[in-house]
Amino acid sequence: MAHRRQEDISRREMLAGLASSAAVVGLPLAEGSAADAPPQRKLKVLVAGAHPDDPELSAGGTIARYTDLGHEVVCLYLTRGEVGKLNEPKTPEETGKIRSAECEKACVILKARPLFAGQVDASTEVNSERCAAFLKLIDAVKPDVVFTHWPIDPHRDHRTTSLLVYDAWFKAAKKFELFYFEVKAGPQTQLFRPTLYVDITTTEDRKKQACFVHSHGEQVYTGWTDLMNRFRGLECRCKFAEAFVHLPRGAADSLP
Ligand SMILES: [Zn+2]
């Protein structure tokens, strides 16, 4: 079969691919792929992760692609990583402050805006109050596109984040496009079958820089993220890529 470059895949094909859940390559809703092309319409993109580093590890290259094109990206952190391991022992409050500062630094590198949802690491909850508060947060951002955790993941905080976003998607009458991302494929993200690839070859270096400002970021990046970026790149014929699963808006309404 003849080799097809990413540029050969038209926007029409990309949207058709999204509708049918077939795997395609492209940046959701963003017109054009050149970094110097002005955006047709400024998009609001929200990347929701459970902990400091989850948005960056999972979608850092995609975030930089959006912001390079002039779109607005908000990195939403459900928690401040209060119980994450640091090199020296700290209280949960001290750890939360250190890790929040890491998020701020990572967002500067990616030209994104950090936002914190106020839950606590390892004690995250899904209940009617939490769902209402999360919906309020999403409503205030008014995103066109949301990326969040794939729900089949042994980490409870990841599942919580995924469920809160899914609940808000329904409550907001599916006003935004919903995409799931992968974190550590294998020990965390499981049974993940991408429907969309984003070529991050031009932004991988900034993704790496953003991940490295986090505690243990280098260890996680070299142990998992780098391999995943390269493997997803092989799958869609580029050097580095990030992979996502798009949830079609009509999925709940149609018979198989
Ligand atoms: Zn996490």
Side-chain angles (χ1 to χ4, degrees):
M1 187 173 169
H3 174 83
R4 289 186 82 206
R5 292 184 308 146
Q6 181 193 343
E7 303 83 75
D8 299 332
I9 297 170
S10 71
R11 178 172 166 77
R12 189 193 294 170
E13 284 177 284
M14 187 190 105
L15 292 173
L18 288 181
S20 66
S21 295
V24 291
V25 179
L27 197 61
L29 302 186
E31 295 280 356
S33 58
D36 56 356
Q40 303 286 318
R41 178 171 77 83
K42 192 173 174 182
L43 297 172
K44 283 194 171 183
V45 179
L46 188 141
V47 183
H51 311 105
D53 79 11
D54 283 329
E56 297 88 332
L57 290 166
S58 312
T62 300
I63 292 169
R65 288 272 322 265
Y66 273 119
T67 57
D68 281 353
L69 289 167
H71 301 295
E72 181 185 339
V73 179
V74 174
C75 289
L76 176 61
Y77 303 93
L78 187 66
T79 77
R80 292 176 184 268
E82 292 88 342
V83 300
K85 282 185 198 142
L86 298 179
N87 290 332
E88 48 190 81
K90 300 275 181 196
T91 66
E93 194 187 359
E94 288 168 338
T95 304
K97 276 187 190 161
I98 291 167
R99 305 229 49 209
S100 301
E102 293 170 357
C103 297
E104 307 265 356
K105 274 191 206 163
C107 283
V108 168
I109 293 166
L110 299 174
K111 294 186 279 184
R113 175 166 68 89
L115 184 64
F116 296 92
Q119 291 220 34
V120 175
D121 191 2
S123 303
T124 56
E125 302 171 330
V126 180
N127 56 39
S128 55
E129 289 81 17
R130 294 294 195 182
C131 286
F134 198 80
L135 178 61
K136 210 171 156 187
L137 216 58
I138 296 236
D139 268 350
V141 175
K142 296 191 173 38
D144 299 290
V145 188
V146 175
F147 295 87
T148 193
H149 290 272
W150 174 247
I152 305 174
D153 185 317
H155 201 309
R156 187 184 294 158
D157 292 341
H158 293 179
R159 297 198 301 274
T160 302
T161 311
S162 191
L163 281 173
L164 287 169
V165 172
Y166 185 73
D167 187 82
W169 187 63
F170 267 107
K171 293 275 172 28
K174 304 177 185 176
K175 276 188 213 134
F176 52 84
E177 294 293 340
L178 178 54
F179 292 85
Y180 291 105
F181 57 59
E182 54 184 342
V183 197
K184 283 183 189 169
Q188 293 185 335
T189 309
Q190 296 168 4
L191 296 173
F192 187 84
R193 304 287 179 265
T195 60
L196 176 77
Y197 296 91
V198 174
D199 180 349
I200 62 159
T201 306
T202 58
T203 55
E204 188 271 343
D205 185 55
R206 273 163 49 222
K207 171 178 182 174
K208 188 193 288 182
Q209 289 174 40
C211 293
F212 275 33
V213 304
H214 285 287
S215 305
H216 307 296
E218 184 172 352
Q219 185 190 338
V220 176
Y221 201 92
T222 51
W224 280 274
T225 314
D226 182 53
L227 293 171
M228 289 165 60
N229 293 340
R230 289 173 191 275
F231 176 69
R232 294 310 184 190
L234 283 173
E235 287 188 311
C236 70
R237 305 181 190 110
C238 64
K239 190 169 180 189
F240 300 110
E242 286 169 344
F244 304 98
V245 172
H246 179 242
L247 190 59
R249 297 187 199 209
D253 307 322
S254 45
L255 286 169

